[in-house]
Amino acid sequence: MAERMLQFVDTGREMPDKRSADERREDWGEIYAEYARAKAEEQSSRCSQCGVPFCQVHCPLHNNIPDWLKLTAEGRLEEAYAVSSATNNMPEICGRICPQDRLCEGNCVIEQSGHGTVTIGSIEKYITDTAWDEGWIKPIEPVAEREQSVGIIGGGPGGFAAAEQLRALGYQIHIYDRYDRMGGLLIYGIPNFKLEKHVVERRTKRLADSGIHLHTGVDVGRDVSLDELRDRHASILIATGVYRARDIKVPGVGLENVVPALDFLTSSNRKGLGDAVSDFDSGALNAEGKNVVVIGGGDTAMDCVRTAVRQGAKSVKCLYRRNRANMPGSQREVANAEEEGVEFVWQAAPQAFVGGDDNAVRAVRAVRMHLGIPDATGRQTPQVIEGSDFDLEADLVIKALGFDPEDLPEMFGSPDLRVTKWGTIRADHATKMTSLEGVFAAGDIVRGASLVVWAVRDGRDAAESMHWYMQQTADAARVAAE
Ligand SMILES: Cc1cc2nc3c(=O)[nH]c(=O)nc-3n(C[C@H](O)[C@H](O)[C@H](O)COP(=O)(O)OP(=O)(O)OC[C@H]3O[C@@H](n4cnc5c(N)ncnc54)[C@H](O)[C@@H]3O)c2cc1C
Ligand code: SF4
C-alpha cells in the first residue's frame, strides 16, 4: 500500500478512494512513515564518510554522526538509535531545534563543496522518533541502587540530561522546578511549531518512569533554601537558566500591549497545551488581527514573529538595529520568517512607543541606524542617523532583547555563591563545581543564554563530576567510620 501511495504522492495522479476517514488517516500515517524512511535512507547515503568528520567536531556533543548515518543508510535503525543516544539525551529534540546551519550541517564537507549538506538534524530526529514508535526507548533501570541522593534545581534540558546520567548510575534524583510543568524553555519558551509539546512531555514521563522524583511548583529561594537542599542531598546541580528579560528604556514602554517576549510565547504555549490563559483570551497576548512589531534580532525574536504569523496577525514587522549579516539569530530562521510574510526593518531602533487615549500602543517611533566602526568584539557599533525618525503602526509590540540571569546569590540567600560580572554562575571549567562545595552548575545559568545542545552537554559533564565527587565523599565517610 505504502509503495502505491508513494507513487501517488510523487505523480499527484488521482485515484478512486472508497475508504473511510479512519482508514485514510491510517494510510497517510503509513505513507508518511515510508516517505520519511526513504528520505532518511537517501540522505544518509549521501554522507561521504569523509574521514575528517567536521560535522562531529562542530556538534557540541560530538555525536558520532558518520556512524549513525551509515547505519541508517543500511536500514539498521535500532543500532543507529543506540549510537545516537549514547552521546545525546534528547536526539529527537536537538534534531528538531539545533541551529544546524551553525553547527553540524554548516560544517558538512558536502555543504562546503557546494552540493548541499546531508540533512543531519532531520535524520537524527527520524531515528529517535522511530525509536519511540517502536518502543526501543525504555525507562532507565540502574544496575544497582545507591543511597546518595541528588537535588537538581531546574527541570530544563541541562537538568534533564544530568538527571538521566546520574539515575543510570543508581543515584536517587529529585528535580525541583518553580513552574507547574517540567521542561524549562523546551515546554514554555520554544514554540510548538518548532518543537511539539508531546515530544517534551514523553521525555518528562520517561524521567518519572525511571524513578526520578519530579517536584513542580517549588521555587528554590522562596519555598526552600539552597542550604536546606544541601542538607537534604549529597550534591546539588543548579540548572536554572536565565530569565531576567532585558528592557528598553524609551518613553511609552509602560503602555498596554508592549509585552515581554517570554510572556507572549508562554501564553501561546500554554494555550496549545490546553490551559486557560486569561491574557490570551482577553487579547492582551494574542496577535490575531493586529499589527505586530517585534523588537530584536535573536532567535527569540524569530520565534515571536513566526508565532504572531500563526496567530493570524494583520502584519508582522521585525525591527533590528544592525543589518542582516550582523544578526545574532540563525539565518535559516530569518529566511523561514521572510517566507512566511514577516517584514524585516533593518538598521532601525525604537525611540518611543506612541499611545492612544486608551493607553494602548498605536505606533513605534523608530530611527534609522548607521553601522559605525567595530568595537572590541569586532562588531560594528550602531549609531543613530539624526532626523531619520519614522513611525510604524502597531497594536502589539513584543520586546525580544535577550535575557540576563536573576540575582541567584540574593535569591537563594547564598552570598558565597560566586557569580561573574554578568551574573552568571562562576563554575570551574573542568569540574562544573561552583564556589560552594558539592554544588555544581550547568546550562544557561553558567553560559548565559545559549542553546539546548550546550545545556545537554553541560548537564552530562556536570553529572560525571558529581558522580566522582559523591564517590569521594562516600569513601571519605567510610574511612572516617572505620
Ligand atoms: C524563545 C526561545 C527560543 C529558543 N529556541 C531555541 C532553539 O530553537 N534551539 C536551541 O538550541 N535553543 C533555543 N533556545 C535556548 C534554549 O532554550 C536554552 O539554551 C536552554 O533551554 C537552556 O537550558 P537550561 O536547562 O540551562 O535552562 P532552562 O531551559 O531555562 O530551564 C531552567 C529551569 O529552571 C527553572 N528554575 C529557574 N529558577 C528556579 C528556581 N529558583 N527554583 C526552581 N526552579 C527554577 C525554570 O522554571 C526552568 O524550568 C531558545 C530560548 C528561548 C528563550
Ligand atoms: S545535536 Fe545538534 S549539532 Fe549535534 S548532530 Fe544533532 S543537530 Fe547536529
Side-chain angles (χ1 to χ4, degrees):
M1 160 59 83
E3 213 169 284
R4 187 162 59 90
M5 295 299 277
L6 256 179
Q7 266 175 6
F8 170 65
V9 173
D10 285 345
T11 61
R13 264 184 289 115
E14 294 271 344
M15 54 191 240
D17 196 344
K18 298 200 172 77
R19 293 158 306 141
S20 70
D22 274 352
E23 283 169 333
R24 277 205 298 274
R25 250 194 303 277
E26 215 167 272
D27 276 351
W28 271 113
E30 199 188 323
I31 293 161
Y32 176 72
E34 210 37 67
Y35 182 70
R37 185 185 182 98
K39 270 273 166 223
E41 285 180 9
E42 178 209 308
Q43 276 293 319
S44 300
S45 63
R46 290 183 64 233
C47 175
S48 64
Q49 299 286 321
C50 57
V52 190
F54 289 114
C55 55
Q56 183 169 0
V57 173
H58 289 270
C59 164
L61 293 163
H62 302 314
N63 281 341
N64 199 340
I65 300 164
D67 278 8
W68 46 254
L69 289 178
K70 189 164 190 290
L71 290 165
T72 306
E74 290 168 3
R76 295 157 65 188
L77 278 183
E78 192 164 0
E79 290 157 89
Y81 165 69
V83 175
S84 163
S85 60
T87 51
N88 191 351
N89 300 78
M90 41 186 77
E92 76 286 21
I93 293 181
C94 291
R96 280 171 168 85
I97 59 166
C98 268
Q100 287 98 3
D101 53 339
R102 288 189 256 149
L103 301 170
C104 53
E105 293 181 10
N107 291 281
C108 166
V109 290
I110 300 180
E111 168 79 1
Q112 300 287 333
S113 61
H115 293 92
T117 177
V118 173
T119 55
I120 298 166
S122 31
I123 299 164
E124 190 179 26
K125 163 182 175 296
Y126 171 72
I127 295 168
T128 307
D129 280 348
T130 307
W132 279 107
D133 292 346
E134 296 292 332
W136 301 334
I137 303 181
K138 302 254 181 343
I140 300 163
E141 281 181 22
V143 178
E145 294 288 346
R146 294 174 199 258
E147 272 180 21
Q148 285 163 300
S149 78
V150 173
I152 296 179
I153 312 172
F160 272 22
E164 281 197 1
Q165 296 301 105
L166 289 166
R167 181 69 193 123
L169 291 165
Y171 292 101
Q172 309 308 310
I173 313 294
H174 293 256
I175 307 182
Y176 304 90
D177 201 290
R178 62 184 170 195
Y179 286 153
D180 56 343
R181 287 187 177 90
M182 290 281 163
L185 288 171
L186 300 178
I187 195 89
Y188 284 140
I190 301 171
N192 197 46
F193 64 83
K194 270 168 64 180
L195 177 59
E196 311 91 301
K197 297 308 154 197
H198 72 87
V199 171
V200 183
E201 288 185 316
R202 69 186 175 192
R203 280 277 161 206
T204 307
K205 182 172 180 305
R206 178 170 185 253
L207 296 187
D209 292 346
S210 303
I212 293 172
H213 305 274
L214 305 177
H215 307 272
T216 49
V218 179
D219 193 335
V220 177
R222 189 194 64 189
D223 301 323
V224 58
S225 71
L226 179 59
D227 280 347
E228 281 174 84
L229 290 185
R230 289 178 78 192
D231 288 344
R232 219 178 270 174
H233 301 293
S235 73
I236 296 285
L237 178 71
I238 304 176
T240 47
V242 289
Y243 283 89
R244 194 165 61 188
R246 291 187 197 134
D247 214 345
I248 315 172
K249 293 185 184 70
V250 298
V253 72
L255 287 169
E256 275 172 34
N257 298 356
V258 178
V259 302
L262 209 50
D263 288 6
F264 175 69
L265 293 172
T266 303
S267 86
S268 177
N269 276 323
R270 279 194 179 281
K271 201 70 199 163
L273 283 157
D275 292 355
V277 186
S278 55
D279 281 341
F280 184 91
D281 297 336
S282 72
L285 292 174
N286 182 354
E288 189 179 358
K290 292 185 179 151
N291 294 304
V292 179
V293 176
V294 176
I295 298 168
D299 287 334
T300 303
M302 295 311 100
D303 287 347
C304 290
V305 291
R306 298 185 69 197
T307 300
V309 168
R310 280 160 180 76
Q311 289 180 354
K314 197 161 144 197
S315 72
V316 184
K317 293 190 174 62
C318 181
L319 202 67
Y320 179 55
R321 63 194 180 134
R322 291 192 164 93
N323 57 12
R324 186 187 192 118
N326 283 291
M327 220 173 164
S330 156
Q331 290 297 325
R332 198 182 275 185
E333 285 292 291
V334 178
N336 288 337
E338 277 179 330
E339 255 174 42
E340 291 168 8
V342 174
E343 187 189 322
F344 284 84
V345 186
W346 304 110
Q347 291 180 237
Q351 293 294 288
F353 300 116
V354 184
D357 293 340
D358 55 356
N359 205 35
V361 70
R362 289 280 174 276
V364 177
R365 182 145 305 148
V367 69
R368 300 275 171 205
M369 306 298 280
H370 156 76
L371 290 183
I373 25 176
D375 62 14
T377 65
R379 288 182 89 196
Q380 287 176 283
T381 321
Q383 290 163 351
V384 170
I385 302 175
E386 296 300 336
S388 62
D389 304 28
F390 63 101
D391 281 0
L392 288 175
E393 202 181 341
D395 315 301
L396 177 64
V397 173
I398 302 171
K399 300 175 287 182
L401 292 117
F403 302 92
D404 289 317
E406 291 156 282
D407 186 344
L408 283 202
E410 161 91 24
M411 211 164 89
F412 287 169
S414 300
D416 294 342
L417 179 65
R418 286 186 63 205
V419 293
T420 65
K421 64 178 176 184
W422 299 280
T424 46
I425 290 184
R426 201 180 275 277
D428 183 277
H429 188 66
T431 65
K432 312 287 176 204
M433 191 165 348
T434 68
S435 53
L436 304 177
E437 157 119 28
V439 178
F440 297 75
D444 281 6
I445 192 58
V446 178
R447 293 178 178 274
S450 180
L451 294 173
V452 168
V453 66
W454 279 114
V456 172
R457 167 72 196 266
D458 289 349
R460 293 172 68 92
D461 288 350
E464 209 178 307
S465 288
M466 291 164 83
H467 173 47
W468 182 85
Y469 170 80
M470 288 185 285
Q471 279 181 310
Q472 302 300 307
T473 47
D475 285 351
R478 228 182 344 261
V479 170
E482 278 165 11

